[in-house]
Amino acid sequence: MPDRTLDIELLRTLHMAGSLGTLRATATRRHCTLGAVSQQIKRLEQQLDRQLLVRFRTGVQLTTEGEQLIAQSLALLAEHDALLERLSHPSTQGVVRIGLPNEYVPQMLDSLLPALRQTVPRVRLQVRTANSLELRRAVDQGELDLAVALYSDRDAQPCGLPLWRTQPVWASPVCHELHRLDPLPLALHPCDCTYRAIALAALNDNGRSWETVFTSTSLAAIESAVANGLAVSVLNRARLTRDMQALGSREGFLPLPECLAYLIESPEVGTHDRAAVALVKSRLQSFSLIQKVKLAG
């Protein structure tokens, strides 16, 4: 059998398409045309003789084999990107202040931050966790250099780098009729949470009365409140468990707008740390790192 080599750039395009959910968004990230992205995916599928993406009118979705390929190639892309960074920026140092959304802190502590420290060892990272709206304000005010923050499709889109999409849904406990109660009992994050803002805007637009019966800064606590029959909430569809059900139009709940995680940068980055910020930003853009967070979340 002739020697074959996987093209790193084709793999990267597949990772981006799987995370962003559309080929158009992938083309924007890859700085190329929509047709070029489509051809790259097709070349990879032909090379591996398997379908990796299913195409819909509204976007794309990974097939089972596509998901397996992404999971199996995470380490390959991570090592490739880390090697390039070590060779290209061996002496870059400085302090970088990073903001991470509370919803993804466990996954980022498990994968993203250790990988960052390994590939930028001379850069000192100062990490702050908060809800997305608070992180966005901190970046605007120069309190953070970089942040990963969620934006809904209703928000004005930032001058940042799109990372991955999430689909918020109304989540209710299975075998409970909480969604029929008036007022609707809610489990919510405190202020400054994107999902909280989405939930309350949808209820107010629909003229539905509600009351907050459970509040926590912990996503796990919110999920537990839903699973144990205490309240209804808005959660990422990917995080629903067998103890939860998604509410739809049949139950009187309209679809919620999608959210997009962006990497945003402060305009107030100090001159002496600019190279360090650029280096960390480059690593955060690596989809081999971001994909780990998306798959876990």
Side-chain angles (χ1 to χ4, degrees):
M1 187 176 85
D3 291 337
R4 293 194 298 173
T5 303
L6 280 174
D7 189 319
I8 290 290
E9 294 310 307
L10 300 186
L11 277 176
R12 200 182 304 282
T13 297
L14 178 67
H15 279 239
M16 290 185 183
S19 287
L20 297 175
T22 72
L23 295 185
R24 187 172 301 279
T26 304
T28 300
R29 277 292 314 276
R30 300 291 281 149
H31 305 290
C32 61
T33 66
L34 183 63
V37 167
S38 183
Q39 284 300 315
Q40 288 176 15
I41 298 296
K42 185 177 296 184
R43 281 169 53 198
L44 189 59
E45 289 179 325
Q46 291 173 345
Q47 185 178 23
L48 299 176
D49 193 24
R50 64 195 65 191
Q51 185 177 10
L52 303 172
L53 284 180
V54 179
R55 294 157 175 80
F56 304 99
R57 288 183 58 189
T58 56
V60 295
Q61 183 176 345
L62 291 166
T63 64
T64 300
E65 291 183 314
E67 290 177 348
Q68 291 173 349
L69 176 59
I70 281 183
Q72 293 167 359
S73 60
L74 283 173
L76 173 64
L77 280 182
E79 194 57 38
H80 172 272
D81 293 344
L83 175 61
L84 281 183
E85 294 295 351
R86 287 194 294 269
L87 294 175
S88 303
H89 308 280
S91 59
T92 299
Q93 55 186 311
V95 177
V96 178
R97 302 164 299 168
I98 305 175
L100 302 178
N102 286 330
E103 302 95 316
Y104 292 91
V105 167
Q107 299 91 327
M108 290 181 169
L109 289 177
D110 286 343
S111 59
L112 189 64
L113 290 180
L116 270 178
R117 289 194 179 279
Q118 180 182 1
T119 57
V120 291
R122 297 173 64 86
V123 174
R124 290 164 48 209
L125 302 178
Q126 296 178 354
V127 181
R128 170 177 166 184
T129 68
N131 288 326
S132 286
L133 296 180
E134 181 180 342
L135 293 176
R136 286 153 58 173
R137 282 199 301 271
V139 168
D140 289 340
Q141 295 168 5
E143 298 171 6
L144 292 171
D145 300 312
L146 298 168
V148 176
L150 289 178
Y151 289 75
S152 81
D153 281 351
R154 294 179 178 178
D155 293 331
Q157 301 306 296
C159 296
L161 188 75
L163 298 177
W164 70 83
R165 285 193 173 275
T166 71
Q167 178 56 69
V169 296
W170 289 103
S172 176
V174 173
C175 301
H176 284 264
E177 298 295 315
L178 293 182
H179 61 279
R180 299 184 184 278
L181 297 181
D182 189 18
L184 181 71
L186 293 179
L188 296 173
H189 287 291
C191 297
D192 293 330
C193 172
T194 303
Y195 277 16
R196 176 191 175 98
I198 289 173
L200 298 188
L203 292 174
N204 293 335
D205 288 347
N206 206 30
R208 180 75 184 268
S209 61
W210 53 272
E211 63 174 343
T212 304
V213 300
F214 187 87
T215 302
S216 177
T217 58
S218 165
L219 177 59
I222 297 291
E223 293 172 344
S224 181
V226 173
N228 287 291
L230 298 180
V232 173
S233 189
V234 170
L235 299 173
N236 182 359
R237 180 182 291 277
R239 297 192 66 91
L240 296 189
T241 68
R242 62 183 180 182
D243 298 316
M244 306 176 193
Q245 61 179 336
L247 302 175
S249 55
R250 187 175 61 181
E251 294 83 17
F253 291 82
L254 297 178
L256 296 169
E258 284 189 333
C259 287
L260 190 57
Y262 277 89
L263 176 61
I264 54 178
E265 180 178 356
S266 173
E268 305 296 330
V269 175
T271 303
H272 59 289
D273 290 324
R274 197 164 291 162
V277 170
L279 177 57
V280 172
K281 182 179 179 181
S282 173
R283 294 302 296 127
L284 285 172
Q285 291 180 31
S286 168
F287 257 73
S288 55
L289 296 180
I290 292 299
Q291 189 71 24
K292 291 181 181 179
V293 178
K294 177 179 179 291
L295 290 176

